[in-house]
Amino acid sequence: NKTLSGTFSDIGLMDGAYEVSITGPDSQMTITSTSHFGNTNHQVIVTAVREPAVLPSVHGALYISTDTLNVKLQGNLEIDGNDRNIDDSPGSEPAVPGIAVDDPGDSAYVINTLKPKIANNIEGLGGDPSVNTVVDNTDWDEVTQNLIFSQDTSLGSGTYAAGTVLGTFANPIITYVEGDVHFSSTATGSGIMIINGNVTMSGQFTYYGMLIVYGKSSIETTFVGNGGIYGSTVIVGSNVDFKSTGTTGIYYSSQAISNAQVNLKSSRFEILSWWE
């Protein structure tokens, strides 16, 4: 519980009891534990600070890391590495690639498969089509496991439609999805979403923050409809199959990323002092 505070008394333990008091903000928490066993009392006072949730570096509006890549882009897809705010006004940060990949061969493959209409809609650093090779040393297993440890909510396989709210811009959350998932209709979310499985997004599904789709084997990601991702989208897997139709937008937004970084809480603490 990331908002746990107060005093918890008369907690039984063996033949004794103890109470715990948690006070203060995340930047300076004080945890006091007082135990009573027979005629012996013992107290421990710890001060701690909650560690922030750590987001990985942003390499592009869409970043794909894989050994085998298959891309099929159709419709009026727009992938834009030019910074924009969530209200679609221009952002203040420098542009990043529209699509970023690890290997020059993947970059050439993506460019060669783009139809002229789609190529003009892949914008960002370097001009259209903005498809760049980047150097990434991220340990994605470590990144995803740390974020999963700090999750605020979790979902299983299934379809999530109208009425699904996975965080708001004012109150972003960390969402973990285990299994194949379909977000449709007017489902929305904000913060960080980690998906271990295939994902389909349709209708007007809109997300603000960072979307990470990962797996050790094949990943199929399909964007249809006219929704949008504001922030950054990351797809990591041995085999990645990325498809898009409709008028989907994948936009780099430093505003959405910064909002997630500032407001999300991890479940880890740094101990500042210990007295007993």
Side-chain angles (χ1 to χ4, degrees), residues 85-107:
N85 297 318
I86 64 171
D87 63 359
D88 288 318
S89 63
S92 59
E93 293 299 313
V96 299
I99 299 176
V101 293
D102 292 331
D103 187 89
D106 287 339
S107 178

Side-chain angles (χ1 to χ4, degrees), residues 25-241:
D26 286 346
S27 58
Q28 186 72 49
M29 299 183 68
T30 300
I31 303 99
T32 303
S33 174
T34 305
S35 58
H36 312 280
F37 290 90
N39 295 322
T40 302
N41 297 321
H42 184 74
Q43 188 173 69
V44 176
I45 301 175
V46 176
T47 60
V49 58
R50 186 189 296 274
E51 295 181 350
V54 178
L55 277 66
S57 299
V58 174
H59 293 305
L62 171 64
Y63 169 61
I64 301 175
S65 178
T66 184
D67 297 324
T68 304
L69 177 61
N70 181 41
V71 173
K72 187 175 183 180
L73 307 180
Q74 297 178 325
N76 294 314
L77 169 71
E78 183 178 10
I79 302 177
D80 193 352
N82 295 301
D83 189 21
R84 70 169 67 192
N85 297 318
I86 64 171
D87 63 359
D88 288 318
S89 63
S92 59
E93 293 299 313
V96 299
I99 299 176
V101 293
D102 292 331
D103 187 89
D106 287 339
S107 178
Y109 162 72
V110 172
I111 292 173
N112 290 334
T113 60
L114 294 175
K115 296 180 180 180
K117 181 180 178 181
I118 294 292
N120 292 333
N121 289 338
I122 311 298
E123 303 174 282
L125 182 67
D128 309 341
S130 177
V131 182
N132 293 9
T133 303
V134 298
V135 176
D136 177 67
N137 297 313
T138 303
D139 184 334
W140 288 102
D141 280 338
E142 180 179 359
V143 167
T144 53
Q145 289 306 310
N146 284 338
L147 291 172
I148 291 168
F149 178 77
S150 299
Q151 64 184 272
D152 297 294
T153 190
S154 61
L155 302 175
S157 296
T159 297
Y160 299 89
T164 301
V165 179
L166 301 171
T168 64
F169 193 76
N171 294 289
I173 65 173
I174 300 174
T175 301
Y176 174 52
V177 182
E178 176 66 44
D180 299 341
V181 66
H182 179 193
F183 294 107
S184 66
S185 187
T186 55
T188 63
S190 182
I192 304 176
M193 185 185 300
I194 309 102
I195 302 172
N196 183 9
N198 299 324
V199 58
T200 299
M201 299 183 181
S202 63
Q204 295 178 313
F205 175 74
T206 305
Y207 195 81
Y208 305 101
M210 182 168 281
L211 179 70
I212 303 175
V213 186
Y214 83 101
K216 294 185 181 297
S217 56
S218 298
I219 296 175
E220 182 173 321
T221 304
T222 305
F223 286 73
V224 299
N226 56 358
I229 308 296
Y230 290 77
S232 182
T233 299
V234 177
I235 306 174
V236 180
S238 298
N239 297 280
V240 170
D241 191 352

Side-chain angles (χ1 to χ4, degrees), residues 6-29:
T7 300
F8 308 89
S9 304
D10 297 325
I11 305 170
L13 178 64
M14 300 176 68
D15 294 327
Y18 68 97
E19 65 180 30
V20 176
S21 172
I22 304 173
T23 60
D26 286 346
S27 58
Q28 186 72 49
M29 299 183 68

